[in-house]
């Protein structure tokens, strides 16, 4: 199988390419910048902005001869205005669908996120029947929901599609979640809203990539899986406090959890979002209502559909993944020695 991966130089995209190459698939990547890691794997690379109309011909050429496309490119974040998210996540997805149709690519797997259905109060063991909320807490989740719906609506006898919803992807090389936690530690303390007892499921990067390969296989016989969406995760919900402190320990940082009153955290996020709107800030990782809500409430999912239709099982467990992370993590900055006068921050990561 010849497969095109959008966002192939990214954290998840690179692992998808690794696993495709490992099983003998001819792999093509498109991203904005070249990647030495992809070059070492032997992946053919195209530098393409999937949102730029001037690059559409090159996008189409990259898809030529492919039997499938994995669309993992996206703008992720917890804050920021709608326009850049819409351009990256909605317009970009429309262009990928169009390229698939022009080149008669028969299969498209879309990387969505479990946060497209998140709502205040959280999600406890929900399945794919849960509808999108009437209002999203952030432009990121709104545009990812729009993109997901576009991909599912594009399912047809000529283009089989499905979407995957991994959640909080982490592992070796993680540029988002664990580093954001490390930056948030000040003088040995981690300021977090609530007590951290809410159960959260996460997704190791190898688990997420493995699910994409299973989805590609499923779309070879799309009658059951085509046009559907699937939650993906470790299926091992843990308290937020345990997840965050153990990820920090794996990076060599010992921190103490310091509770911020939930109402204060929510109010601070609301005021902060208003300020960013007034100043027309384009920051994508500032403190936001979405981020605070996800740190206060549970979010874990029923993976029955993925097990049934994709034969999905996590290839690595949470504890084994942390052991691997401990062995491979680079030395961390000693945030405990920073000045206590420096203003503490709450971690802001894409969900």
């Amino acid at each position: 199988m010849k497969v095109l991966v959008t966002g192939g130089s990214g954290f998840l995209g690179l692992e998808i390419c690794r696993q495709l190459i490992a099983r003998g698939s001819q792999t093509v990547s498109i991203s904005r910048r070249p990647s030495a890691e992809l070059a070492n794997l032997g992946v053919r690379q195209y530098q393409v902005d999937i949102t730029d109309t001037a690059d559409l011909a090159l996008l189409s050429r990259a898809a030529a001869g492919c039997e499938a496309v994995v669309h993992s490119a996206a703008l992720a974040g917890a804050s920021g205005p709608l326009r850049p998210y819409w351009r990256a996540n909605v317009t970009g997805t429309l262009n990928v669908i169009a390229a698939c149709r022009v080149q008669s690519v028969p299969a498209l797997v879309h990387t969505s996120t479990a946060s497209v259905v998140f709502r205040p109060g959280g999600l406890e063991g929900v399945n794919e029947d849960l509808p999108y909320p009437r209002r999203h807490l952030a432009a990121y989740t709104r545009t990812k929901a729009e993109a997901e719906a576009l991909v599912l609506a594009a399912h047809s006898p000529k283009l089989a599609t499905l979407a995957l919803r991994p959640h909080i992807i982490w592992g070796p090389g993680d540029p988002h979640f664990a580093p954001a936690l490390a930056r948030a530690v000040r003088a040995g303390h981690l300021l977090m809203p609530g007590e951290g007892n809410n159960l959260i499921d996460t997704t190791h990067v190898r688990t997420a990539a493995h699910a994409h390969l299973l989805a590609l296989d499923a779309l070879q016989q799309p009658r059951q899986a085509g046009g559907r969406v699937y939650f993906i995760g470790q299926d091992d919900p843990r308290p937020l406090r345990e997840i965050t402190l153990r990820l920090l320990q794996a990076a060599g940082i010992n921190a103490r959890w310091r509770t911020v009153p939930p109402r204060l955290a929510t109010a601070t996020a609301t005021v902060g979002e208003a300020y960013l709107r007034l100043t027309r800030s384009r920051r994508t990782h500032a403190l936001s209502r979405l981020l605070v809500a996800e740190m206060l409430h549970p979010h874990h999912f029923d993976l029955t559909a993925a097990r049934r239709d994709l034969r999905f099982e996590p290839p690595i467990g949470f504890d084994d993944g942390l052991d691997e992370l401990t062995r491979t993590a680079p030395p961390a900055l000693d945030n405990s020695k920073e000045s206590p006068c420096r203003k503490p921050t709450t971690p802001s990561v894409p969900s």
Side-chain angles (χ1 to χ4, degrees), residues 234-253:
Q234 294 303 124
D235 202 20
D236 185 10
R238 304 283 182 106
L240 175 63
R241 182 194 291 252
E242 176 188 349
I243 293 170
T244 54
L245 295 182
R246 290 188 66 186
L247 280 171
L248 286 170
Q249 289 171 359
I253 300 173

Side-chain angles (χ1 to χ4, degrees), residues 179-208:
L181 289 174
R183 290 192 299 269
V185 175
R186 297 290 181 264
H189 295 279
L190 178 67
L191 292 181
M192 297 288 278
E195 298 294 334
N197 297 322
N198 47 314
L199 294 179
I200 292 176
D201 199 16
T202 62
T203 314
H204 192 279
V205 65
R206 290 218 305 271
T207 296

Side-chain angles (χ1 to χ4, degrees), residues 79-80 271-281 283 286-287:
S79 64
V271 171
E273 287 184 338
Y275 174 77
L276 293 177
R277 285 194 298 271
L278 286 173
T279 58
R280 298 185 178 181
S281 171
R283 291 178 60 193
L287 185 66

Side-chain angles (χ1 to χ4, degrees), residues 8 10-20 205-206 209-210 213:
F11 178 45
L12 174 60
L14 180 59
E15 181 60 28
I16 292 172
C17 289
R18 286 194 192 102
Q19 294 191 19
L20 285 169
V205 65
R206 290 218 305 271
H210 174 65
L213 270 64

